[in-house]
Amino acid sequence: SVVVLEAVSAAVATAFESADALRMVYGGGAWRTRGPDAVALQAGRAIGGSTAIGWGVHAGLPQEVYDRWLQRDPGWQVRLPYAELELARECTDAEFSVGKAPRDLWGTSGQLLMDALAGVADPVWRGASGCKGTARCAAGCPTKGMGSVDRVVWPIALRYGARMHSGVQVQRVEVRGGRAVGVSGRSATGGRLAVSARRAVFLCAGTLGSTRL
């Protein structure tokens, strides 16, 4: 069986105009990088994570990047062949209805840029077949036209028997013999919680959250 531990209990996107909109973003949108050139960081705090406040852009792993992985560790060829990655990408693209962004959603500046770069650049591929061009992706799509994990992946997981426990703060990945065997943390009521994994632990806390664990 599959158990999903989610840090928040909020369903997903709140209206852009809502005072609660920033609750969907870790740190209230105030996270910054360190150093002289500060960059604002945006990480979703909602079921669906950052996919709920992103732009729905999809990109596969380039072959040349995978080849560099192999140079460092040839074992990737056995553990995760590139053909399997490509098959997974094709399945994901189908579920999210991924396609090139249509011209009428590029905006005036985007159209001018693409016309100037004709034959050199392509529109981005997005999983947003219901996009209405509101330009409010980063606050949660107000028309629910963008595909996100909560709207696309989670219903599929439910059909296959997955269970979600929300309001859980995972604080530690338990490792034994070099293998992740479970996680521990606190439940929504503040009590201690531990989950053991028979087959695998998938850490899906994003670039920022995963590295903290």
Side-chain angles (χ1 to χ4, degrees), residues 169 171-172 174 184-187 189-194:
Q169 187 65 47
Q171 298 171 322
R172 179 183 175 86
E174 304 296 338
S184 59
R186 293 197 174 276
S187 67
T189 58
R192 295 295 302 170
L193 174 144

Side-chain angles (χ1 to χ4, degrees), residues 76-125:
W76 280 113
Q77 184 64 57
V78 176
R79 293 193 297 267
L80 191 61
Y82 189 75
E84 290 188 11
L85 281 172
E86 279 295 281
L87 178 60
R89 180 191 60 77
E90 291 173 5
C91 293
T92 301
D93 286 355
E95 295 291 353
F96 279 83
S97 301
V98 174
K100 287 186 178 181
R103 185 180 177 87
D104 61 329
L105 294 178
W106 296 354
T108 302
S109 58
Q111 291 181 16
L112 290 172
L113 177 63
M114 291 301 295
D115 289 344
L117 297 176
V120 179
D122 284 319
V124 295
W125 291 76

Side-chain angles (χ1 to χ4, degrees), residues 134-210:
T134 62
R136 297 178 179 180
C137 313
C141 179
T143 64
K144 298 184 178 180
M146 180 179 65
S148 51
V149 168
D150 58 298
R151 293 175 181 145
V152 178
V153 179
W154 182 237
I156 297 173
L158 275 178
R159 292 201 298 270
Y160 282 91
R163 293 171 291 152
M164 178 184 288
H165 297 276
S166 58
V168 174
Q169 187 65 47
V170 173
Q171 298 171 322
R172 179 183 175 86
V173 177
E174 304 296 338
V175 178
R176 295 178 197 153
R179 178 177 177 271
V181 296
V183 298
S184 59
R186 293 197 174 276
S187 67
T189 58
R192 295 295 302 170
L193 174 144
V195 177
S196 297
R198 181 171 57 88
R199 296 188 62 184
V201 174
F202 288 88
L203 186 56
C204 306
T207 304
L208 303 176
S210 296

Side-chain angles (χ1 to χ4, degrees), residues 5-110:
L5 303 179
E6 177 58 62
V8 298
S9 54
V12 69
T14 54
F16 181 83
E17 294 82 4
S18 169
D20 293 334
L22 284 181
R23 294 183 184 178
M24 293 170 49
V25 184
Y26 277 104
W31 279 10
R32 298 288 188 275
T33 57
R34 293 181 178 179
D37 301 315
V39 178
L41 300 176
Q42 184 170 301
R45 189 174 185 273
I47 293 176
S50 294
T51 66
I53 57 168
W55 287 264
V57 176
H58 287 242
L61 179 69
Q63 177 77 59
E64 56 267 26
V65 174
Y66 182 82
D67 290 342
R68 289 202 294 271
W69 291 6
L70 291 183
Q71 290 174 5
R72 295 189 176 189
D73 183 359
W76 280 113
Q77 184 64 57
V78 176
R79 293 193 297 267
L80 191 61
Y82 189 75
E84 290 188 11
L85 281 172
E86 279 295 281
L87 178 60
R89 180 191 60 77
E90 291 173 5
C91 293
T92 301
D93 286 355
E95 295 291 353
F96 279 83
S97 301
V98 174
K100 287 186 178 181
R103 185 180 177 87
D104 61 329
L105 294 178
W106 296 354
T108 302
S109 58

